[in-house]
Amino acid sequence: QMKKQCDQKLLIRMKTECVACSLNLDTQCPAGYTKITNGTGIPDCRYYLKIKTHTLSFPGCRHRCVKEFEQPECCQGHWGPDCMGK
């Protein structure tokens, strides 16, 4: 019995919104994603505060998140919705 279905594993990466590093400890990734950074995250971004007519920019932190996703795919030489074609 030859395998007909050869699903592809995809890794979807994303970063959370940039916030003050001290506030980033409690930041959670979206549902289904796993946080791969610890503590306050990565200090690689800036966030902005609007005060009356001025916008101030501050260094901030964000977390990296990943999600594993299986994309259904037929093995070579098979096709169709159920991978039965040869």
Side-chain angles (χ1 to χ4, degrees), residues 10-49:
L10 298 177
L11 213 55
I12 303 166
R13 300 169 191 275
M14 58 92 57
K15 288 178 182 164
T16 58
E17 203 179 324
C18 191
V19 294
C21 294
S22 56
L23 299 176
N24 205 34
L25 274 166
D26 301 325
T27 301
Q28 295 304 314
C29 292
Y33 284 83
T34 306
K35 196 193 286 188
I36 57 168
T37 42
N38 300 322
T40 55
I42 316 143
D44 69 343
C45 60
R46 296 190 78 77
Y47 67 98
Y48 301 92
L49 278 185

